[in-house]
Amino acid sequence: MYGLYDKEGILRFVDSDKDACIAYAELFELSSTNYCLMNLESDIEKSNGH
């Protein structure tokens, strides 16, 4: 699961497909310097100690 955050840190889009998140950013004309794409599953596993 991937999350796309804008430069203010607001979650804008979540999807299991990384390319779908990037397509969302392109649709709303967010340049790569204005968003952060994060793998949410790895963050959840880290917080659960796995």
Side-chain angles (χ1 to χ4, degrees), residues 3-49:
L4 186 133
Y5 293 84
D6 67 14
K7 66 182 179 179
E8 283 84 31
I10 298 171
L11 180 62
R12 300 277 302 260
F13 188 75
V14 175
D15 198 286
S16 60
D17 182 11
K18 181 179 177 181
D19 292 332
C21 290
I22 294 170
Y24 175 92
E26 291 173 354
L27 177 67
F28 289 96
E29 299 177 354
L30 299 173
S31 69
S32 61
T33 58
N34 290 327
Y35 70 85
C36 175
L37 185 61
M38 297 183 67
N39 184 337
L40 300 177
E41 289 178 356
S42 67
D43 291 342
I44 292 169
E45 289 173 5
K46 288 177 187 175
S47 68
N48 287 336

